Amino acid sequence: MALNSLGREIPDSYAGKKLVPYRDPYSVSPEGNVATRALRRVNPGTSKRLSSLGEAIVASGLRDGMTIATHHALRNGDFLLNAIVAELAQLGLKGIWIASSSVHPVHAEIIPHIKSGVIAGFQCGVNGLIGEMASRGELSCPIVVRSHGGRARAIMEGSVKIDVAFIAAPCCDEYGNMNGYFGPSACGSLGYAQTDALFASCVVAVTDNLVPFPVVPISIPQTLVDYVVTVERLGDPAKIVSTTTRITTDPVGLQIATYASQVIEVSGLLKDGFSFQTGSGGISLAVADKVRGAMGRGGIKGSFGCGGITGYFVEMLEEGLFASLMDVQCFDQEAVRSIGRNLAHQEIGADFYANPFNGGAVVNRLDCVILGATEVDTSFNVNVNTESNGYLLHNTGGHSDTAAGAKLSIIVAPSIRGRLPIVKDRVTTVTTPGETIGVVVTERGIAVNGKHAELKEELVRRKLPVKEIGELQREICKITGTPRPLEFEDEVVAVVEYRDGSIIDAVRRVKG
């Protein structure tokens, strides 16, 4: 075991790989070259179409111990990963690793196949029952949690080798050109699948909407695709939405949003060329609404909105408040419809969005990002992976990527959640290091990281409720009491990889 720079105990190795402890957000530099894949040739008249997922698995050469990947643009409406794993079991394959862009609660269906040994582990974050059962010691499957940018980096540098990528393609032709804009399972941007298509040894396009050649427009081209399979249904796009996509009406949430929008205005960033990202939750959208009003009043035209895009950002684009949207994933149906009709609504890949090891990711150009939190500690470290009971229930998403890239990262969260304080001495799990967090906003006050001293001074001058983060924690704990510390076994059930590949924390089995 070794301690990283945040004082977190990290195993020397995990799932057969030596680990590098986290040091800081920016100093790790890449070595070597971008990973390669074998050249291939498809002669005129050759058909790429296969009759079933089972036939595609056999044709791909997938063997015991190899790695597969899918994308999560359909989120909790995805049918494909479950269907693939069922086929793997039918074919008698064992020890397969999953390196999807995310695993969601809908994928609890694969739990029996984890127990039977068909699935060996996850080179990705998990949401829901799989992580909970692993946290209780009821599943034995190593889990390596990565951010969106960190996953793209790992694939491109070759530390995660995808043997077969199965890409859910809502609109696809027989030669493998595809997009996510149209069809019964339309999901919008295929941003997370782009890296898989470039670097997987074999790429299988799976569609429920085979259209005449050529697909228009092309998000992922035929040149990267080996096989095409049609299925009855890829998923249910109505379940892309996983949280509320409406502005909160809760007084606490509205107060948080008011304070956060005031922080943005005071920061001096809200001017022509402003770039912005929020989540899809009610508080984040309330912040966006207040920023939208300020931009309208001030005649401000922003540069771009980015990340997972909602219909709310589409409205801001169509009102002329942003020149462009950079979309790696559509968060609702209005965003799906927009990407097919708005030229300025641009589809981007996860590498372009947030990979720290390239010529510069979009997150580096962000002025401000609004982020949520399960917990924050008095060093501004943030946890979004584990819940208050210690269970691993959430993926990292772009949290640590955007916090590292943006000029100002703002955490918005109620001070008390489920009768527990949001601010703690020490978070259960570090997802995003405090060095990359600018401000924490609750309804009880605003805590500003010391690196933003001028912003803090100006907020105080304008008589906003600025408090030291330790003071905020003590105030909250006077109401909630100090929670009893969680108890963990020594067994590591997951590691949380920072975006540069170093290990920022380990998740251990919960006692009891």
Short mmCIF file of all heavy atoms in Angstrom, two decimals, residues 395-434:
data_model
loop_
_atom_site.label_atom_id
_atom_site.label_comp_id
_atom_site.label_asym_id
_atom_site.label_seq_id
_atom_site.Cartn_x
_atom_site.Cartn_y
_atom_site.Cartn_z
N ASN A 395 -20.88 6.63 -11.56
CA ASN A 395 -19.69 6.85 -12.38
C ASN A 395 -19.18 8.28 -12.16
O ASN A 395 -19.90 9.13 -11.64
CB ASN A 395 -20.04 6.61 -13.85
CG ASN A 395 -18.82 6.33 -14.70
OD1 ASN A 395 -17.69 6.42 -14.25
ND2 ASN A 395 -19.05 5.97 -15.95
N THR A 396 -17.96 8.55 -12.59
CA THR A 396 -17.38 9.89 -12.46
C THR A 396 -17.93 10.85 -13.49
O THR A 396 -18.08 12.05 -13.22
CB THR A 396 -15.85 9.81 -12.60
OG1 THR A 396 -15.33 9.01 -11.53
CG2 THR A 396 -15.21 11.18 -12.57
N GLY A 397 -18.25 10.35 -14.70
CA GLY A 397 -18.67 11.24 -15.78
C GLY A 397 -17.56 12.21 -16.14
O GLY A 397 -16.38 11.87 -16.13
N GLY A 398 -17.93 13.43 -16.43
CA GLY A 398 -16.93 14.45 -16.77
C GLY A 398 -16.57 15.35 -15.60
O GLY A 398 -15.98 16.42 -15.81
N HIS A 399 -16.91 14.92 -14.37
CA HIS A 399 -16.74 15.78 -13.19
C HIS A 399 -15.31 16.27 -13.04
O HIS A 399 -15.03 17.48 -13.01
CB HIS A 399 -17.20 15.03 -11.94
CG HIS A 399 -17.54 15.88 -10.78
ND1 HIS A 399 -16.58 16.48 -9.99
CD2 HIS A 399 -18.73 16.25 -10.25
CE1 HIS A 399 -17.18 17.17 -9.02
NE2 HIS A 399 -18.49 17.05 -9.16
N SER A 400 -14.37 15.33 -12.92
CA SER A 400 -12.98 15.74 -12.69
C SER A 400 -12.35 16.37 -13.93
O SER A 400 -11.44 17.20 -13.82
CB SER A 400 -12.14 14.54 -12.22
OG SER A 400 -12.22 13.47 -13.14
N ASP A 401 -12.83 15.99 -15.11
CA ASP A 401 -12.31 16.59 -16.35
C ASP A 401 -12.64 18.07 -16.44
O ASP A 401 -11.77 18.90 -16.72
CB ASP A 401 -12.94 15.88 -17.57
CG ASP A 401 -12.60 14.41 -17.65
OD1 ASP A 401 -11.43 14.06 -17.46
OD2 ASP A 401 -13.52 13.62 -17.92
N THR A 402 -13.90 18.40 -16.23
CA THR A 402 -14.32 19.80 -16.37
C THR A 402 -13.79 20.67 -15.24
O THR A 402 -13.43 21.83 -15.46
CB THR A 402 -15.86 19.90 -16.42
OG1 THR A 402 -16.42 19.21 -15.30
CG2 THR A 402 -16.40 19.29 -17.70
N ALA A 403 -13.70 20.10 -14.04
CA ALA A 403 -13.14 20.86 -12.93
C ALA A 403 -11.69 21.23 -13.19
O ALA A 403 -11.24 22.34 -12.87
CB ALA A 403 -13.27 20.07 -11.63
N ALA A 404 -10.94 20.30 -13.80
CA ALA A 404 -9.54 20.57 -14.10
C ALA A 404 -9.37 21.58 -15.22
O ALA A 404 -8.41 22.35 -15.25
CB ALA A 404 -8.83 19.26 -14.47
N GLY A 405 -10.33 21.58 -16.16
CA GLY A 405 -10.17 22.43 -17.33
C GLY A 405 -10.72 23.83 -17.17
O GLY A 405 -10.16 24.79 -17.72
N ALA A 406 -11.82 24.00 -16.45
CA ALA A 406 -12.52 25.28 -16.40
C ALA A 406 -11.76 26.32 -15.58
O ALA A 406 -11.07 25.99 -14.61
CB ALA A 406 -13.91 25.09 -15.81
N LYS A 407 -11.95 27.58 -15.95
CA LYS A 407 -11.37 28.67 -15.15
C LYS A 407 -12.03 28.73 -13.77
O LYS A 407 -11.37 29.07 -12.78
CB LYS A 407 -11.56 30.00 -15.87
CG LYS A 407 -10.76 30.13 -17.14
CD LYS A 407 -11.09 31.43 -17.87
CE LYS A 407 -10.36 31.53 -19.19
NZ LYS A 407 -10.80 32.69 -19.99
N LEU A 408 -13.33 28.42 -13.72
CA LEU A 408 -14.06 28.47 -12.46
C LEU A 408 -15.00 27.28 -12.38
O LEU A 408 -15.93 27.17 -13.17
CB LEU A 408 -14.85 29.78 -12.34
CG LEU A 408 -15.66 29.96 -11.05
CD1 LEU A 408 -14.72 30.03 -9.83
CD2 LEU A 408 -16.51 31.22 -11.13
N SER A 409 -14.76 26.40 -11.43
CA SER A 409 -15.64 25.26 -11.20
C SER A 409 -16.44 25.52 -9.92
O SER A 409 -15.85 25.83 -8.86
CB SER A 409 -14.85 23.96 -11.08
OG SER A 409 -13.88 24.05 -10.05
N ILE A 410 -17.75 25.40 -10.03
CA ILE A 410 -18.64 25.71 -8.91
C ILE A 410 -19.44 24.46 -8.54
O ILE A 410 -20.12 23.88 -9.39
CB ILE A 410 -19.61 26.85 -9.29
CG1 ILE A 410 -18.84 28.11 -9.66
CG2 ILE A 410 -20.58 27.13 -8.14
CD1 ILE A 410 -19.73 29.26 -10.15
N ILE A 411 -19.33 24.07 -7.29
CA ILE A 411 -20.13 22.96 -6.76
C ILE A 411 -21.42 23.52 -6.18
O ILE A 411 -21.38 24.43 -5.34
CB ILE A 411 -19.37 22.18 -5.67
CG1 ILE A 411 -18.05 21.61 -6.21
CG2 ILE A 411 -20.24 21.07 -5.08
CD1 ILE A 411 -18.20 20.58 -7.29
N VAL A 412 -22.55 22.99 -6.63
CA VAL A 412 -23.84 23.41 -6.06
C VAL A 412 -24.48 22.19 -5.40
O VAL A 412 -24.60 21.13 -6.01
CB VAL A 412 -24.79 24.00 -7.15
CG1 VAL A 412 -24.24 25.32 -7.64
CG2 VAL A 412 -25.01 23.05 -8.31
N ALA A 413 -24.88 22.35 -4.15
CA ALA A 413 -25.48 21.23 -3.41
C ALA A 413 -26.19 21.76 -2.17
O ALA A 413 -25.73 22.73 -1.56
CB ALA A 413 -24.41 20.23 -2.99
N PRO A 414 -27.29 21.12 -1.78
CA PRO A 414 -27.92 21.50 -0.51
C PRO A 414 -27.00 21.16 0.64
O PRO A 414 -26.23 20.18 0.57
CB PRO A 414 -29.19 20.65 -0.49
CG PRO A 414 -28.90 19.49 -1.38
CD PRO A 414 -27.99 20.00 -2.44
N SER A 415 -27.05 21.93 1.71
CA SER A 415 -26.14 21.71 2.83
C SER A 415 -26.42 20.41 3.57
O SER A 415 -25.53 19.84 4.19
CB SER A 415 -26.22 22.88 3.81
OG SER A 415 -27.53 22.98 4.36
N ILE A 416 -27.66 19.95 3.48
CA ILE A 416 -28.07 18.71 4.16
C ILE A 416 -28.79 17.84 3.15
O ILE A 416 -29.67 18.30 2.43
CB ILE A 416 -29.00 19.01 5.36
CG1 ILE A 416 -28.29 19.89 6.39
CG2 ILE A 416 -29.49 17.72 6.00
CD1 ILE A 416 -29.20 20.45 7.46
N ARG A 417 -28.39 16.58 3.07
CA ARG A 417 -29.06 15.64 2.18
C ARG A 417 -29.31 14.35 2.97
O ARG A 417 -28.38 13.74 3.48
CB ARG A 417 -28.19 15.36 0.95
CG ARG A 417 -28.86 14.43 -0.06
CD ARG A 417 -27.97 14.17 -1.25
NE ARG A 417 -27.90 15.30 -2.17
CZ ARG A 417 -26.78 15.86 -2.58
NH1 ARG A 417 -25.63 15.43 -2.12
NH2 ARG A 417 -26.80 16.87 -3.44
N GLY A 418 -30.59 13.97 3.05
CA GLY A 418 -30.92 12.76 3.80
C GLY A 418 -30.49 12.85 5.26
O GLY A 418 -29.99 11.89 5.83
N ARG A 419 -30.65 14.05 5.85
CA ARG A 419 -30.29 14.34 7.26
C ARG A 419 -28.79 14.28 7.54
O ARG A 419 -28.36 14.27 8.68
CB ARG A 419 -31.03 13.39 8.21
CG ARG A 419 -32.52 13.57 8.19
CD ARG A 419 -33.23 12.56 9.04
NE ARG A 419 -32.99 11.20 8.58
CZ ARG A 419 -33.69 10.15 8.96
NH1 ARG A 419 -34.67 10.28 9.81
NH2 ARG A 419 -33.41 8.95 8.51
N LEU A 420 -27.99 14.24 6.48
CA LEU A 420 -26.53 14.20 6.63
C LEU A 420 -25.91 15.47 6.06
O LEU A 420 -26.39 16.01 5.06
CB LEU A 420 -25.96 12.97 5.92
CG LEU A 420 -26.37 11.61 6.48
CD1 LEU A 420 -25.90 10.50 5.55
CD2 LEU A 420 -25.80 11.42 7.89
N PRO A 421 -24.82 15.94 6.67
CA PRO A 421 -24.17 17.16 6.17
C PRO A 421 -23.45 16.90 4.85
O PRO A 421 -22.82 15.84 4.68
CB PRO A 421 -23.17 17.50 7.28
CG PRO A 421 -22.88 16.19 7.94
CD PRO A 421 -24.14 15.39 7.87
N ILE A 422 -23.54 17.84 3.95
CA ILE A 422 -22.85 17.70 2.66
C ILE A 422 -21.36 17.96 2.80
O ILE A 422 -20.52 17.41 2.07
CB ILE A 422 -23.47 18.64 1.61
CG1 ILE A 422 -23.04 18.22 0.19
CG2 ILE A 422 -23.11 20.07 1.83
CD1 ILE A 422 -23.77 17.05 -0.35
N VAL A 423 -20.98 18.82 3.79
CA VAL A 423 -19.57 19.16 4.00
C VAL A 423 -19.03 18.34 5.17
O VAL A 423 -19.60 18.36 6.26
CB VAL A 423 -19.38 20.66 4.27
CG1 VAL A 423 -17.90 20.99 4.39
CG2 VAL A 423 -20.03 21.51 3.17
N LYS A 424 -17.94 17.64 4.93
CA LYS A 424 -17.36 16.74 5.94
C LYS A 424 -15.89 17.08 6.15
O LYS A 424 -15.28 17.80 5.34
CB LYS A 424 -17.49 15.29 5.47
CG LYS A 424 -18.92 14.86 5.13
CD LYS A 424 -18.96 13.43 4.62
CE LYS A 424 -18.63 12.43 5.71
NZ LYS A 424 -18.79 11.03 5.25
N ASP A 425 -15.33 16.54 7.24
CA ASP A 425 -13.88 16.66 7.44
C ASP A 425 -13.13 15.98 6.30
O ASP A 425 -12.10 16.48 5.82
CB ASP A 425 -13.46 16.01 8.76
CG ASP A 425 -13.81 16.87 9.96
OD1 ASP A 425 -13.77 18.10 9.83
OD2 ASP A 425 -14.14 16.30 11.01
N ARG A 426 -13.66 14.83 5.89
CA ARG A 426 -12.99 13.99 4.90
C ARG A 426 -14.05 13.24 4.10
O ARG A 426 -14.88 12.55 4.69
CB ARG A 426 -12.06 13.01 5.63
CG ARG A 426 -11.31 12.02 4.78
CD ARG A 426 -10.47 11.14 5.71
NE ARG A 426 -9.94 9.96 5.04
CZ ARG A 426 -8.74 9.89 4.47
NH1 ARG A 426 -7.95 10.94 4.50
NH2 ARG A 426 -8.32 8.77 3.88
N VAL A 427 -14.06 13.41 2.79
CA VAL A 427 -15.06 12.71 1.98
C VAL A 427 -14.79 11.21 2.01
O VAL A 427 -13.66 10.76 2.21
CB VAL A 427 -15.06 13.21 0.52
CG1 VAL A 427 -15.59 14.63 0.42
CG2 VAL A 427 -13.69 13.09 -0.12
N THR A 428 -15.85 10.44 1.80
CA THR A 428 -15.72 8.98 1.79
C THR A 428 -14.79 8.54 0.66
O THR A 428 -13.93 7.67 0.85
CB THR A 428 -17.11 8.33 1.61
OG1 THR A 428 -17.98 8.82 2.63
CG2 THR A 428 -17.02 6.82 1.67
N THR A 429 -14.96 9.13 -0.50
CA THR A 429 -14.15 8.81 -1.68
C THR A 429 -13.83 10.11 -2.41
O THR A 429 -14.71 10.93 -2.62
CB THR A 429 -14.92 7.87 -2.64
OG1 THR A 429 -15.36 6.72 -1.92
CG2 THR A 429 -14.06 7.45 -3.81
N VAL A 430 -12.57 10.28 -2.81
CA VAL A 430 -12.22 11.45 -3.60
C VAL A 430 -12.41 11.14 -5.08
O VAL A 430 -11.78 10.23 -5.61
CB VAL A 430 -10.76 11.90 -3.35
CG1 VAL A 430 -10.44 13.11 -4.24
CG2 VAL A 430 -10.53 12.24 -1.90
N THR A 431 -13.28 11.87 -5.72
CA THR A 431 -13.46 11.81 -7.17
C THR A 431 -12.68 12.92 -7.85
O THR A 431 -11.95 12.69 -8.81
CB THR A 431 -14.96 11.98 -7.53
OG1 THR A 431 -15.75 11.03 -6.84
CG2 THR A 431 -15.16 11.85 -9.03
N THR A 432 -12.85 14.13 -7.33
CA THR A 432 -12.26 15.33 -7.91
C THR A 432 -11.46 16.06 -6.84
O THR A 432 -12.00 16.37 -5.77
CB THR A 432 -13.37 16.24 -8.48
OG1 THR A 432 -14.07 15.53 -9.50
CG2 THR A 432 -12.80 17.52 -9.05
N PRO A 433 -10.18 16.33 -7.11
CA PRO A 433 -9.34 16.95 -6.07
C PRO A 433 -9.70 18.40 -5.82
O PRO A 433 -10.06 19.15 -6.75
CB PRO A 433 -7.93 16.82 -6.65
CG PRO A 433 -8.13 16.78 -8.13
CD PRO A 433 -9.43 16.07 -8.35
N GLY A 434 -9.59 18.81 -4.56
CA GLY A 434 -9.94 20.17 -4.17
C GLY A 434 -9.15 21.25 -4.88
O GLY A 434 -9.61 22.38 -5.02
#
